């Protein structure tokens, strides 16, 4: 299945993911303008895009450990996204 881009939010998300290596939910939310980032990423997956989510360990402002994820496009899809966005 050839990946597709169906909405302007998906286009912005792919641009963010193609330009940067590892984007958090917070970063994607701010740069794309969508609060429900997990749903956005699920849409991309349904459209054929492959990505990973690497959990990192950080301390929150209260000193508690939390594990936010960093989304990354698969290398071949990062290249494809760059090509599609330039066309």
């Amino acid at each position: 299945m050839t990946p597709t881009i169906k909405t302007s939010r998906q286009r912005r998300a792919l641009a963010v993911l193609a330009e940067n290596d590892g984007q958090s939910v917070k970063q994607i939310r701010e740069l794309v303008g969508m609060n429900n980032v997990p749903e956005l990423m699920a849409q991309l997956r349904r459209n054929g895009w492959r990505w990973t989510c690497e959990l990192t360990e950080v301390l929150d402002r209260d000193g508690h450990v939390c594990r936010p994820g960093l989304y990354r496009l698969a290398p071949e899809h990062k290249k494809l996204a760059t090509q599609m966005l330039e066309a």
Side-chain angles (χ1 to χ4, degrees):
M1 173 181 177
T2 301
T4 59
I5 303 170
K6 295 184 178 179
T7 68
S8 56
R9 286 179 175 164
Q10 292 173 9
R11 178 173 293 281
R12 288 191 302 269
L14 287 169
V16 166
L17 292 166
E19 292 172 12
N20 304 287
D21 188 37
Q23 293 293 298
S24 70
V25 169
K26 181 179 178 181
Q27 291 166 317
I28 294 171
R29 183 177 59 237
E30 291 171 359
L31 295 169
V32 173
M34 181 175 181
N35 286 330
N36 194 350
V37 173
E39 173 57 25
L40 174 62
M41 297 306 293
Q43 290 171 7
L44 290 175
R45 182 161 282 161
R46 287 190 295 270
N47 292 348
W49 294 96
R50 287 196 312 254
W51 50 265
T52 61
C53 184
E54 175 188 338
L55 297 180
T56 59
E57 192 170 290
V58 298
L59 296 177
D60 67 12
R61 68 175 73 180
D62 298 317
H64 300 183
V65 173
C66 60
R67 292 174 182 82
L70 293 178
Y71 289 103
R72 286 187 173 88
L73 283 175
E76 64 276 8
H77 281 219
K78 189 172 183 174
K79 183 177 179 181
L80 180 62
T82 300
Q83 292 169 348
M84 289 177 77
L85 292 166
E86 289 175 352

